[in-house]
Amino acid sequence: MGSSNGQRLGITEPISLAGPTDDDLMRTRKLEKYLRDVNLYESQEEAVSREEVLGRLDQIVKIWVKKISRAKGLNDQLLQEANAKIFTFGSYRLGVHGPGADIDTLCVGPRHATREEDFFGELHQMLTEMPEVTELHPVPDAHVPVMKFKFSGVSIDLLYARLSLWVIPEDLDISQDSILQNADEQTVRSLNGCRVTDQILRLVPKIQNFRTTLRCMRFWAKRRGVYSNVAGFLGGINWALLVARICQLYPNAVPSMLVSRFFRVYTQWRWPNPVLLCAIEEGSLGLQVWDPRRNPKDKYHLMPIITPAYPCMNSSYNVSTSTLRIMMDEFQRGHEICEAMEKNEADVDWDTLFEPFTFFEAYKNYLRIDISAENADDLRNWKGWVESRLRQLTLKIERHTYNMLQCHPHPGDFSDKSKPLYCSYFMGLQRKQGVPVGEGEQFDIRLTVKEFKQAVSMYTLRKPGMQISVAHVTRRNLPNFVFPGGVRPSRPSKGTWDSRRALERKVSSHTKPGADDGRKRKQTDDNVDTHLRNAKCHATMPSSSGEFREGSPIVSTISSSSINLQFEHMDANELVGSNREKVENNLTDSIRDSRNSVEVSSHNGKVDGPMIGDPRNKGLSFNSSNSKDAEKLAIEKIMSGSSSSALSPNGGLGELEVLSADLITSIASSITSSG
Ligand SMILES: Nc1ncnc2c1ncn2[C@@H]1O[C@H](COP(=O)(O)OP(=O)(O)OP(=O)(O)O)[C@@H](O)[C@H]1O
Ligand SMILES: [Mg+2]
Ligand SMILES: [Mg+2]
């Protein structure tokens, strides 16, 4: 049975009930020390101050609700009982927040406390008048409306849920579905964060192990540049769900094991099989739940990670083929490092796993998006809008180049300290591996960029001075402010796992051309590397200033419509018979350019992850120990679902055809109607 108290948590049996060995315990201690050393835990002082702030906030909403109840002329009894209450969610509620993280809070109020007038009106006004409150920013028009501010220096996100109750009891349980009855859409969405977080905490067997593992995975994802919902990677809630599922599958494992199993399971996961912590209940309130058989949009989700509270939704609909590929590569890298750690290989430690991904060494070509505004408020709003549109740019570039050009968005922005009202975003560009290079072929993305800029300029709250420009830059022309400390490294990183792996691959392909297998590998590698190394990419910019210069004023002087990426094929013979030094140089280039350790193939624009028994999985170094083989089978079984219940007649599969029959079965068996 799954959990320590004998109750199975999760929709399948666990994969393994094994507990830790002495080595696992030792690795866990090292991991915990590592996480403390990199400052992932807040101080006791900060923890206390957060609690005080939460206490104050709860008092404030209670005062607020009395005040507005009185103003509305409620009778004495209702006035006396008038109540509102603060709940928390997000990383703070999960217990995985770092120093300086925000506290995500939800104010639950009664039916007579409205969102517009009372929450964004009166409560906002009250906060404005408090000296402890700074940087107050109401965002009433967001998908999930929020009031953002700092209270005694602690960042707060405050959402509002208006229930249909006249009185909010102090012991209100928001996990019961009836709480959603007659609630407006924004309230349902606002309640969702809390309800999901509570469910996660109920559905994991040993919370402390879950927390440490999640801290580790969040830190890892940030270091590897795959932490960001808005950029199409995964955010806090997604990582929490992925880790929670691993905890269910290995209920007696300790954090070091859970991290390693995380990579083991998710390198084998055949997306778009959904990750589920519990069955998807259809519920009785008629709210839409994730169901690719019914909702056309859900069929296109590439990496479904389903929330465990009604109405169950996919929390990761932003993931695209590109970001999925990047994440799968990262899972593969993590898997290899954990395997090496478990074999006690020299030079491999937690530090190796957490080595930062050197985004600005990884590509030769980048797209640079600069934005600017007239004041800090405008820039914040403009950034929020542009960031939410950037994903469309990557999707469009890939679509418009028939997926031959791959786009890697950098999560987060950069800015030049000397220019406070400007900021820049970057995307790495590369030819898709394995795509043959056509003679003199070029990628013209002018139209794509133009369309993107048009879409961005549709911003309804656009103010004068909100500018955007897009330019192509080569690695050499990257501005200094993108590098740590504003200093461009004189040479590419050496001695890292990534550089060593690239070197190994390169050396083996250059020195072992004998065996059939080796020849094949060499050909593939050369093919890929040749494309990258010989891809001469330049932008044609017939602008007044002529050239894009580092540190030049924002690219408004450069017509972004003139971007014309050209990838010219050069003479591949140059590579053959090169002297040692030349090979070294090429290696350095290929280290920078090679990120993909596993190829994720794409059929009809749909990605399907590596499969067990698939030759692509050769890189997975499962040793032949029985327990690991058994685990492999168990993972496979989870993917195929245990039930063979038929699909509903209105299934209407359409594009779902691309999903495996197994998936359909597992979806069918996991979506249940609640009685
Ligand atoms: N853009 C978004 N779309 C959907 N849900 C979101 C979004 N932003 C935040 N949320 C919800 O709010 C929660 C908290 O978000 P937040 O950005 O504060 O992340 P977090 O997991 O608390 O991490 P951190 O420690 O960085 O604050 C998320 O877990 C999610 O439920
Ligand atoms: Mg948070
Ligand atoms: Mg937040």
Side-chain angles (χ1 to χ4, degrees), residues 41 58 71 79 101 159 239 305 312 334 346-347 372 449 544 614 647 660:
Y41 294 85
D58 200 53
L79 199 57
L159 313 185
W239 292 109
I305 303 171
C312 295
D347 298 335
S372 61
V449 167
S544 51
D614 185 315
L647 283 168
S660 64

Side-chain angles (χ1 to χ4, degrees), residues 348-360:
V348 184
D349 215 330
W350 290 113
D351 208 26
T352 319
L353 183 68
F354 299 122
E355 274 166 7
F357 174 59
T358 48
F359 182 83
F360 292 109

Side-chain angles (χ1 to χ4, degrees), residues 447-512:
L447 187 64
T448 318
V449 167
K450 193 174 166 199
E451 279 180 17
F452 165 72
K453 288 181 70 180
Q454 270 165 359
V456 167
S457 61
M458 303 297 267
Y459 184 39
T460 45
L461 305 174
R462 191 164 182 179
K463 299 231 181 94
M466 289 181 172
Q467 301 283 356
I468 180 163
S469 59
V470 184
H472 162 239
V473 284
T474 59
R475 185 163 59 218
R476 210 169 305 145
N477 291 324
L478 286 167
N480 285 345
F481 62 76
V482 303
F483 297 103
V487 182
R488 178 188 298 268
S490 54
R491 48 166 59 197
S493 313
K494 277 196 177 141
T496 61
W497 172 273
D498 295 346
S499 62
R500 285 204 304 266
R501 282 311 305 267
L503 201 69
E504 271 166 33
R505 273 200 297 274
K506 200 72 204 176
V507 168
S508 73
S509 75
H510 276 272
T511 55
K512 287 187 290 178

Side-chain angles (χ1 to χ4, degrees), residues 89-90 102-104 148 156-157:
F89 62 106
D102 68 350
I103 310 184
D104 299 289
K148 287 174 167 288
I156 305 284
D157 277 356

